[in-house]
Amino acid sequence: MIGHMLLADLVATSTAVAATRSRLEKRALLAAALRAADASEVEVVASYLSGRIRQRRTGVGWRTLGALPAPAATPSLTAAEVDAALAHMATLAGPGSQEARAAAVAVLFGRATAPEQDLLRGLISGELRQGALDSLLLDAIAEAAAVPLAAVRRAAMFSALSGPIAAAALRGGASALAGFRLEVGRPVRPMLAASAPDVAAALAGLPGEVAVDGKIDGIRIQAHKAGDDVVVFTRSLDDITERVPEVAEVVRALDVGSAVLDGEALALGAEGRPRPFQETGSRTMSRDAEALRGSVPLTPYFFDVLHLDGADLLDAPAAERFAALTSAVPPESLVPRVVTAQPDDVHAFFAHMLARGHEGVVVKDLAAPYDAGRRGAAWVKVKPRHTLDLVVLAAEWGSGRRQGWLSNIHLGARDGDGFVALGKTFKGMTDEMLAWQTARFLALETHRDGYVVHLRPEQVVEIAFDGVQRSSRYPGGLALRFARVLRYRDDKTAAEADTLDTVRALASWAAS
């Protein structure tokens, strides 16, 4: 048997973590599980406790997860065996791979008990909700290894996953964590922005002069340059250098010896307006970059610098980093930015960025360091909020903390005499809302398909979202981006829900 920690042990920890609202108790539960793991398996255990698998992609889709074998009666799977099985699935490619992957899924899930199947499904789909965020796991790693939390968080800046941090801390303590540092060519976790509902709220926490960046709707990139060697990483720290040759060329041409740059890359259309996000996403995912760069060229825009010519700038104030960036990168490759202390200037710049087809702005504290891997108050993004009244077409049984509740809802817009699906969401739901909607949806149930409960299209829900994107997965060809529930509209009937034409009108490329 590979490893000794049963998946059932992680199910028990996950259930206990989900059942408590105390951060201290959550941390203690996670730390106990980390201490119980063998050195050989602690990286896997830590990853699963944070709600993630180690493999970037397994090829296992939602359809496969909806048709699982009967669960095992008794637990036998170890966490390490699950990791090995998923690693094998990730290698499958070419003719016959779909059948081979489905068979591997059947074997893996056939060995799992019902609670283990729920955990696995949540891990693979990325929809496990157990109340153990990555930041909480870092706290637990510090407790389990008896090392300073600051040492753990500093090391985490330079590792895509928390698993390696856990392994280093538990095997070698603070001295092992000190081995994680910025190296040109190795990705750094990106700094993240908090959100504000409007410009005034964003400025309220950042007195005085601020930098205001245009929020570009592209792919987050991190470019590393060492001489003529250039590597480009995504937000999730995947190496995509070969897929973005024009970005690499821009970075290689910079008159600097070494640099680590943070920015966005996107496909631009007529008059420099951004193309639909999917075109940028598809282009950066394609391995046929040379054939596509002529028709869908990518343009990089950089907004920060973490290292320049031998000097690490992570701890330098933003004003110093931005000055260094301006000295190293030509204006055409810099994100639009204004520096001001006047709210009217920020409002005007926000309107300007929206008029150019971009998402909004990010307001930044000029005194703040680059807080890699964390979402703090130093960067605050502001985007216009779109809302629609849609109809709930189906709902999925939740897992982890949402076990026993109908959680992920399928959203539809009116189209003629029927409804067209636009996506799913489990975001924005309180415990009270989950309890209410479970009772409500069971009363509307028409039939079930695995863990999906299909409903009579009667319940209207108000949804907030960031934008509309093309989607081949849904019959209307559209899907909502970052949809979340605002409230249920019992004052509206399904006949009053928004139409597919209304959704198309929100995106000029969809209406054309």
Side-chain angles (χ1 to χ4, degrees):
M1 182 170 65
I2 304 175
H4 87 284
M5 180 167 282
L6 291 175
L7 189 64
D9 297 332
L10 296 185
V11 170
T13 298
S14 178
T15 302
V17 167
T20 179
R21 294 185 179 277
S22 167
R23 184 178 179 90
L24 289 177
E25 189 173 345
K26 289 177 186 287
R27 186 180 71 190
L29 289 164
L30 295 170
L34 291 172
R35 283 193 294 263
D38 282 344
S40 63
E41 63 186 356
V42 68
E43 185 171 331
V44 174
V45 169
S47 295
Y48 290 1
L49 289 174
S50 71
R52 300 177 63 178
I53 58 176
R54 295 200 304 162
Q55 294 73 28
R56 287 293 306 146
R57 295 176 182 84
T58 61
V60 180
W62 63 275
R63 290 185 183 277
T64 303
L65 294 176
L68 299 175
T74 57
S76 65
L77 271 174
T78 67
E81 285 176 321
V82 172
D83 181 65
L86 295 177
H88 169 67
M89 293 177 203
T91 66
L92 298 174
S97 60
Q98 186 172 350
E99 294 79 6
R101 188 174 290 107
V105 168
V107 170
L108 175 63
F109 277 82
R111 287 191 57 197
T113 63
E116 290 171 337
Q117 284 192 353
D118 289 338
L119 181 75
L120 280 176
R121 189 172 63 214
L123 285 170
I124 294 172
S125 66
E127 296 180 358
L128 182 66
R129 294 296 174 266
Q130 60 181 358
L133 300 175
D134 194 55
S135 60
L136 181 60
L137 183 66
L138 296 179
D139 292 354
I141 291 170
E143 179 175 327
V147 296
L149 177 57
V152 174
R153 288 182 173 171
R154 182 73 180 185
M157 291 183 179
F158 313 116
S159 177
L161 297 173
S162 294
I165 302 298
L170 287 162
R171 291 171 186 167
S175 60
L177 292 173
F180 292 84
R181 57 175 62 90
L182 191 151
E183 293 181 13
V184 178
R186 189 171 72 181
V188 176
R189 291 195 191 197
M191 184 172 176
L192 304 175
S195 297
D198 52 43
V199 167
L203 293 174
L206 297 173
E209 196 171 58
V210 295
V212 188
D213 289 1
K215 190 173 190 317
I216 306 297
D217 190 17
I219 295 293
R220 185 81 173 262
I221 56 171
Q222 188 179 114
H224 291 236
K225 180 181 190 296
D228 289 334
D229 294 330
V230 171
V231 189
V232 182
F233 299 98
T234 64
R235 170 176 171 153
S236 54
L237 310 189
D238 293 321
D239 183 344
I240 57 166
T241 311
E242 294 183 356
R243 303 180 190 181
V244 291
E246 59 267 69
V247 174
E249 289 168 6
V250 168
V251 176
R252 190 173 291 112
L254 297 178
D255 188 22
V256 299
S258 63
V260 177
L261 304 171
D262 195 358
E264 297 268 344
L266 76 163
L268 297 175
E271 301 177 354
R273 295 180 65 83
R275 296 191 185 188
F277 176 78
Q278 284 82 357
E279 293 190 22
T280 296
S282 297
R283 169 56 215 280
T284 54
M285 289 295 293
S286 174
R287 297 185 181 279
D288 196 10
E290 290 300 334
L292 290 173
R293 65 181 295 182
S295 57
V296 190
L298 294 174
T299 301
Y301 291 98
F302 296 105
F303 51 74
D304 216 325
V305 57
L306 285 61
H307 172 96
L308 186 62
D309 281 335
D312 292 345
L313 301 173
L314 283 162
D315 298 322
E320 182 179 329
R321 299 198 312 275
F322 296 165
L325 178 71
T326 302
S327 72
V329 177
E332 64 271 18
S333 296
L334 293 173
V335 74
R337 169 178 289 154
V338 298
V339 176
T340 181
Q342 302 301 318
D344 287 348
D345 293 343
V346 183
H347 282 282
F349 187 64
F350 179 64
H352 171 69
M353 292 307 299
L354 294 181
R356 290 180 59 182
H358 295 296
E359 284 192 303
V361 297
V362 184
V363 183
K364 299 182 176 180
D365 183 350
L366 287 170
Y370 190 94
D371 204 356
R374 296 179 65 82
R375 191 184 302 277
W379 290 6
V380 184
K381 59 187 175 183
V382 184
K383 297 187 289 186
R385 189 179 74 171
H386 306 291
T387 64
L388 288 169
D389 291 329
L390 302 175
V391 174
V392 183
L393 305 179
E396 300 172 9
W397 289 107
S399 60
R401 191 180 65 81
R402 297 190 177 189
Q403 181 77 33
W405 283 336
L406 287 172
S407 174
N408 206 11
I409 59 175
H410 298 211
L411 305 167
R414 284 193 297 123
D415 187 32
D417 295 329
F419 297 88
V420 174
L422 293 173
K424 302 187 291 184
T425 187
F426 50 77
K427 297 184 182 297
M429 299 173 183
T430 63
D431 287 354
E432 293 76 12
M433 189 179 291
L434 287 165
W436 178 88
Q437 71 187 34
T438 298
R440 169 64 170 156
F441 295 161
L442 289 177
L444 297 176
E445 179 180 353
T446 59
H447 64 284
R448 299 190 184 191
D449 180 12
Y451 59 93
V452 180
V453 178
H454 295 267
L455 313 177
R456 296 195 305 274
E458 298 179 11
Q459 180 61 54
V460 178
V461 61
E462 185 177 1
I463 295 293
F465 60 99
D466 288 359
V468 180
Q469 61 187 19
R470 289 195 178 105
S471 174
S472 60
R473 180 171 175 179
Y474 297 104
L478 305 173
L480 305 182
R481 293 189 66 201
F482 304 114
R484 58 245 184 229
V485 173
L486 290 180
R487 58 176 172 154
Y488 282 102
R489 298 295 303 265
D490 290 330
D491 58 325
K492 285 195 171 188
T493 67
E496 298 175 279
D498 286 308
T499 67
L500 185 61
D501 285 341
T502 298
V503 181
R504 290 194 178 107
L506 291 171
S508 58
W509 51 264
S512 60

